[in-house]
Amino acid sequence: SLWITGNTYVLKSKTGGVMVLDPWGQRGVDQVAKLRAAEKLGPVELVVFSHAHYDHFDGVYTLPVKGEYRVWA
């Protein structure tokens, strides 16, 4: 399953964890948390940035549990 919230996409893996593409700021991080709770999704396993504009990566600084997921750029 794939969800979009603004610039940010969330993709569910077969194992239940999620990939977050282009996390944008605290609001985006909050939206991902709401989506995970509403859809009973697993943990963030991977964060990917499509390019180096602040509105595509600065949410990584506010994602919870740093170090529990991989970051690809």
Side-chain angles (χ1 to χ4, degrees):
S1 298
L2 177 69
W3 295 270
I4 182 172
T5 176
N7 278 351
T8 304
Y9 291 80
V10 175
L11 179 65
K12 177 183 168 187
S13 73
K14 289 180 181 180
T15 61
V18 298
M19 177 193 84
V20 178
L21 173 65
D22 292 339
W24 182 17
Q26 186 62 54
R27 184 172 186 278
V29 169
D30 292 344
Q31 291 297 98
V32 169
K34 286 181 189 178
L35 175 66
R36 286 182 55 229
E39 297 292 328
K40 297 179 178 47
L41 301 174
V44 174
E45 295 177 347
L46 177 64
V47 177
V48 179
F49 310 123
S50 62
H51 60 285
H53 288 164
Y54 77 94
D55 61 335
H56 292 267
F57 73 84
D58 68 348
V60 76
Y61 299 113
T62 53
L63 279 169
V65 196
K66 289 176 176 56
E68 295 292 319
Y69 48 82
R70 293 187 211 192
V71 177
W72 293 355

